[in-house]
Amino acid sequence: MRLFVHHRTVYRFSEPQDRVIQMLRLTPGSHVGQNVIDWRIDVDCNARLRPGRDGYGNETAMLYVDGPLSSVSLAVTGEVLTEDRAGMVAGAAEPLPPELFARSTPLTAPDEALRALATEVAGDGGPPLDQVHQLMATIHRRMRFLPQKRSEVRPAGASFADGQGGATDFAQVMVCAARLLGLPARYVSGHILRPGHQHEWHEAAHAWAEVHVPDYGWIGFDATANRCPDDHYVRVAIGLDYRDAAPVSGTRTGGGSEVLDVGVRVGMDQSQA
C-alpha cells in the first residue's frame, strides 16, 4: 500500500525563548515490508538539523534553533510503501540483542494488577505466540481507548488501573505484561491509516508493542486495535518505553510556559481505495 504521512508539531511559548534544542525521532527506516520513498522535515524558522542514529537504531535529527522565539513549527511529509506481514519485523536496524528489551523501566514497571494479568494469561498454557495474542485481546477488552492527548505520559500500572488511555498507554501496558510472560518486548511509535478517516487530523501519532516470540522473532501487537500491524502501519521508532521513542523531546532556554499542538494525518493512494 502507498501511504502518505503528514505530521505537524507546533510549540508556542508564553515568553520568548533564547534557544530550543530538540531530538527528533520522526523519520522511519526502510525494512522488509516498509520502503520509504520520500521523507522531509521542514522548520518554519532558521534552524540547524543534524541527522544521526540513536542506540536503538532509530533515525534521528538534532534540531537547534536560536532565539528569540515565540513559536517553532515542524512539518513532516512522507511517502511509504507498505505490505502486510502479519506484524513480523525483518530487516530493520537491530544494534541491540532482544535480551536487552526484557528489562523494566519506570514507565513499564509491573505492579500487582499487571502481574495478575500475566499470571492469568500464562495459566491458560499454550505456546508463547498464542499467549501474546491472548494478552493483546485481554488488554483491548479491559481498557477503553481515549483518543485525546495527555500532557503527561503515565506508568503502565496507572493506565491499567484506570482502565482507559491513549495508544501510548495501551502500548506500555502491553510491553510490561509481555515482559512478565518472560518475553522481551519494546515500545514502537509510528503512524496508522484509519480507513474512512484519512482526511482527518488526529492529535497524536500511534503506538504499539513488539514482542520477541521464540521461533518467530519480533512481532508487532497493537492492543489499541487488537490486531498485528499490517500494511496500514508505518513503523518509525522503538525503545524500552515511550521516552526512548518519543517523536519529539528536548529542552529550551527561557522562562514562561509552552503549549504543544500536534496533528497527524495518514492517507493512501486513491487508486487503492
Side-chain angles (χ1 to χ4, degrees):
M1 183 175 289
R2 186 181 298 269
L3 300 180
F4 301 95
V5 178
H6 303 268
H7 185 176
R8 66 188 183 199
T9 303
V10 181
Y11 287 92
R12 296 183 178 88
F13 309 109
S14 61
E15 297 180 11
Q17 302 297 297
D18 297 326
R19 196 179 196 204
V20 173
I21 302 175
Q22 299 284 349
M23 165 73 82
L24 310 182
R25 300 179 189 87
L26 296 169
T27 303
S30 293
H31 52 80
V32 178
Q34 176 171 296
N35 186 16
V36 180
I37 303 301
D38 182 51
W39 203 265
R40 180 183 177 92
I41 301 176
D42 292 305
V43 188
D44 71 340
C45 54
N46 186 18
R48 302 186 302 279
L49 281 172
R50 188 178 71 190
R53 191 177 292 274
D54 67 15
Y56 296 101
N58 301 317
E59 294 192 35
T60 64
M62 290 299 302
L63 170 70
Y64 302 91
V65 188
D66 293 324
L69 302 164
S70 59
S71 67
V72 178
S73 178
L74 306 175
V76 178
T77 56
E79 179 181 351
V80 185
L81 292 178
T82 62
E83 64 179 78
D84 184 359
R85 290 181 44 83
M88 299 186 68
V89 179
E94 297 285 1
L96 301 172
E99 292 76 17
L100 181 136
F101 295 95
R103 68 185 184 91
S104 181
T105 69
L107 286 178
T108 58
D111 62 7
E112 290 306 312
L114 285 167
R115 292 184 191 278
L117 171 63
T119 300
E120 174 189 335
V121 171
D124 291 338
L129 181 60
D130 290 350
Q131 290 188 24
V132 182
H133 275 287
Q134 181 184 344
L135 177 63
M136 175 175 65
T138 303
I139 294 170
H140 177 78
R141 185 174 64 252
R142 295 186 183 177
M143 291 183 65
R144 182 168 65 94
F145 177 68
L146 294 178
Q148 69 264 33
K149 61 185 178 181
R150 294 184 178 273
S151 58
E152 294 184 2
V153 178
R154 301 178 298 174
S159 300
F160 189 63
D162 193 24
Q164 59 186 10
T168 291
D169 299 306
F170 277 74
Q172 292 195 144
V173 169
M174 184 75 192
V175 166
C176 176
R179 290 172 183 162
L180 289 171
L181 291 176
L183 301 172
R186 60 196 185 191
Y187 180 98
V188 185
S189 66
H191 305 292
I192 182 175
L193 171 69
R194 297 174 171 88
H197 301 275
Q198 64 186 58
H199 300 297
E200 299 177 7
W201 287 95
H202 301 275
E203 292 185 332
H206 199 50
W208 59 95
E210 287 176 356
V211 181
H212 197 269
V213 181
D215 300 325
Y216 292 94
W218 288 108
I219 303 177
F221 294 88
D222 183 0
T224 303
N226 192 26
R227 71 182 189 190
C228 291
D230 53 20
D231 56 356
H232 289 65
Y233 288 69
V234 176
R235 179 181 183 272
V236 177
I238 63 169
L240 287 168
D241 57 28
Y242 166 81
R243 290 198 177 100
D244 291 333
V248 181
S249 60
T251 62
R252 57 188 174 91
T253 304
S257 60
E258 70 178 38
V259 175
L260 174 63
D261 180 27
V262 177
V264 179
R265 184 174 68 191
V266 180
M268 67 178 179
D269 188 334
Q270 291 304 304
S271 65
Q272 302 172 97

